Amino acid sequence: MKLAVFVSLLVVLPFQALAGSCVGKTVDVWVANGHGLTGDGLQDPDPYVVVKIGEDTQKTRVIHSNANPGWWEKLTFYQVTSDFMRIEVWEADEGLRGDDDHLGTCMELMDSRGSSFHVVQCTVKDSGFVKVFYKCY
């Protein structure tokens, strides 16, 4: 009896793991908005977001002088090669130095189950955050 249960688990578990995978699918990522983002000085930051899935990287536009930006940009990744999405939040430094400041990074294990978008809230420097929605299909 124990052997039969063990064998059935070996057959079922790999299929359950694959059922929620986004690998080989298209992923739509909506970079929605941010709140409480900080820069490297006294001025409001010039934030942007970089999203990486596997080897594919896309980024939003820079929103100038805004600690609470609203990007509402859709990034589409085709035939993704990973179930992990990396979300990086940056502050553009267009001054003399030109060094962009890294505000934070989040890793999300994506799940393709369900028909609605999944919500990710990425907390960054000084308790600011960026909200992202994604869907695999």
Side-chain angles (χ1 to χ4, degrees), residues 1-13:
M1 180 66 176
K2 288 181 184 177
L3 181 61
V5 170
F6 179 72
V7 169
S8 65
L9 284 176
L10 288 177
V11 171
V12 171
L13 287 178

Side-chain angles (χ1 to χ4, degrees), residues 19-22 25-26 110-118 134-137:
S21 177
C22 292
K25 298 179 180 178
T26 296
M110 297 184 297
D111 186 355
S112 68
R113 290 177 289 202
S115 60
S116 59
F117 279 85
H118 299 271
Y134 76 89
K135 182 177 181 180
C136 306
Y137 58 94

Side-chain angles (χ1 to χ4, degrees), residues 36-101:
L37 303 181
T38 58
D40 59 355
L42 298 174
Q43 300 175 358
D44 281 336
D46 302 324
Y48 66 95
V49 177
V50 175
V51 178
K52 297 180 180 182
I53 301 175
E55 298 298 316
D56 232 356
T57 301
Q58 297 184 39
K59 72 178 193 173
T60 67
R61 69 188 186 284
V62 174
I63 296 184
H64 295 281
S65 300
N66 198 328
N68 304 304
W71 290 279
W72 294 103
E73 284 189 43
K74 179 182 173 188
L75 309 175
T76 300
F77 296 83
Y78 298 98
Q79 295 182 344
V80 299
T81 58
S82 174
D83 279 321
F84 287 96
M85 174 172 50
R86 180 181 176 101
I87 303 163
E88 299 177 359
V89 183
W90 293 86
E91 197 265 327
D93 188 357
E94 298 170 355
L96 295 175
R97 284 193 348 233
D99 298 351
D100 291 354
D101 298 312

